[in-house]
Amino acid sequence: MGASVVPERWDVLGLGQAMVDFSGMVDDEFLERLGLEKGTRKVVNHEERGRVLQAMDGCSYKAAAGGSLSNSLVALARLGGRSIGGPPLNVAMAGSIGSDPLGSFYRTKLRRANVNFLSAPVKDGTTGTVIVLTTPDAQRTMLAYQGTSSTVDYDACLASTISKTNILVVEGYLFELPDTIRTITKACREAHRNGSLVAVTASDVSCNERHYDDFWEIIGNYAGIVFANSEEARALCHFSSKESPASATRYLSHFVPLVSVTDGPRGSYIGIKGEAVYIPPSPCEPVDTCGAGDAYASGILYSFLRGVSDVKGMGTLAAKVAATVVRQQGTRLSVHDAVELAESFAFHLNSSTIRSDIGSDHISSL
């Protein structure tokens, strides 16, 4: 952390994949030429990554310290970056980066966004990347390269940090890494023992299906919040595509105190104790849907940390954050938009929806 001042406690610690994003706009013909199925997420090797990046030469694209979880953490840090509705939030991330230039790029970019990346680089490791290709219809196709630094170890630094954390957020993509599942279990057990809230992101349908038992081992024993989209929620329930997102939300809420399920432009649901509360979408003209779910999760976490106890208000807040990201190119909530949103939220909060502790009478079991 260099010269940064280490806080006594972290509001949120994210445990996730540290990936550098290369994002750009392409047309359908580009995807067809490379044999890529639109709207999917695919794991690629070093050679495949090079082939796609070479094909993108001449296209307009940008690099960012990406990854689904880091998108949420950056948005959360920006929403809570000032004393609006409460003290500034302390946000950190642990993961795995290589000792290569991309690893240094990742750490520096997160630090500039007020997210402290706490893990030391892996010697001689290569940092993972995700190529995000967005077509004019706002659909995204993602190609992930894990790199050689994809294992996250449970070390003394991580154990110490978890003991000083209010909310631990575990990224579902980590379940793809066999050795890291042990780290997830140890981290969640320690967080639970220290009275911290554990949140889990579902991340990806195929990941949920391949590691169904591992997900439920963590969700069933430790999770206070689960973030998922409608397809991921159905996968975690072993439901068919005919089942509604509301049904999946209700089912999951019997096992997890709070369930957040997004359903694209149709809105979202928050599940508590067998009930699913519908949250209408916040109006916007979509430009790039990449990062919408990540932004929504940041809104839920932010409202939690600011003491919002009304479930409908919590979801409305999250939907507005997601809509703000969707109407722009790129996955990150800007500082300007974050301040405006935080000020708007603070204005609408009143004494009946604020508590000094995390939670409410409806979600006290968290």
Side-chain angles (χ1 to χ4, degrees), residues 10 271 292 344:
W10 296 101
S344 172

Side-chain angles (χ1 to χ4, degrees), residues 230-249:
S230 56
E231 292 183 355
E232 293 156 359
R234 280 190 283 259
L236 290 173
C237 299
H238 270 171
F239 281 3
S240 72
S241 58
K242 295 180 181 179
E243 294 284 352
S244 69
S247 296
T249 304

Side-chain angles (χ1 to χ4, degrees), residues 7 106 202-203 210 222 251 259 277:
Y106 190 92
S203 296
R210 284 193 296 271
Y222 305 110
Y251 179 84
V259 179
V277 178

Side-chain angles (χ1 to χ4, degrees), residues 204-360:
D204 179 71
V205 173
S206 58
C207 179
N208 305 149
E209 293 170 344
R210 284 193 296 271
H211 306 285
Y212 181 85
D213 291 341
D214 291 325
F215 266 99
W216 271 104
E217 178 69 23
I218 298 300
I219 290 173
N221 289 307
Y222 305 110
I225 303 177
V226 167
F227 295 109
N229 64 28
S230 56
E231 292 183 355
E232 293 156 359
R234 280 190 283 259
L236 290 173
C237 299
H238 270 171
F239 281 3
S240 72
S241 58
K242 295 180 181 179
E243 294 284 352
S244 69
S247 296
T249 304
R250 284 192 291 268
Y251 179 84
L252 288 172
S253 71
H254 287 292
F255 305 95
V256 182
L258 190 146
V259 179
S260 167
V261 177
T262 56
D263 193 29
R266 291 166 292 280
S268 57
Y269 297 86
I270 295 180
I272 292 178
K273 295 181 179 179
E275 297 183 8
V277 178
Y278 174 67
I279 309 297
S282 187
C284 73
E285 280 293 326
V287 173
D288 183 0
T289 58
C290 189
D294 307 334
Y296 190 96
S298 75
I300 295 291
L301 293 171
Y302 179 74
S303 61
F304 228 86
L305 290 164
R306 287 300 188 234
V308 177
S309 60
D310 172 58
V311 173
K312 196 83 172 181
M314 185 183 293
T316 301
L317 182 158
K320 287 182 179 179
V321 178
T324 302
V325 170
V326 165
R327 66 173 183 238
Q328 67 179 26
Q329 179 64 43
T331 60
R332 291 284 161 86
L333 180 69
S334 72
V335 174
H336 176 266
D337 286 338
V339 171
E340 283 196 348
L341 286 165
E343 289 176 342
S344 172
F345 299 152
F347 178 78
H348 288 96
L349 292 178
N350 56 56
S351 58
S352 66
T353 61
I354 297 179
R355 290 171 53 123
S356 59
D357 58 326
I358 295 177
S360 72

Side-chain angles (χ1 to χ4, degrees), residues 133-215:
L133 306 172
T134 304
T135 43
D137 59 1
Q139 289 225 43
R140 63 192 189 277
T141 303
M142 304 171 72
L143 307 171
Y145 169 66
Q146 303 286 4
T148 60
S149 59
S150 55
T151 300
V152 181
D153 295 322
Y154 189 80
D155 55 18
C157 173
L158 181 56
S160 173
T161 306
I162 289 172
S163 70
K164 300 178 290 186
T165 295
N166 293 331
I167 301 177
L168 172 68
V169 184
V170 177
E171 184 176 25
Y173 287 123
L174 287 181
F175 286 86
E176 295 278 30
L177 314 174
D179 293 336
T180 301
I181 292 174
R182 289 192 291 271
T183 298
I184 294 170
T185 303
K186 290 179 180 178
C188 291
R189 186 184 299 132
E190 181 66 14
H192 203 256
R193 189 177 70 83
N194 283 284
S196 303
L197 177 66
V198 175
V200 178
T201 70
S203 296
D204 179 71
V205 173
S206 58
C207 179
N208 305 149
E209 293 170 344
R210 284 193 296 271
H211 306 285
Y212 181 85
D213 291 341
D214 291 325
F215 266 99

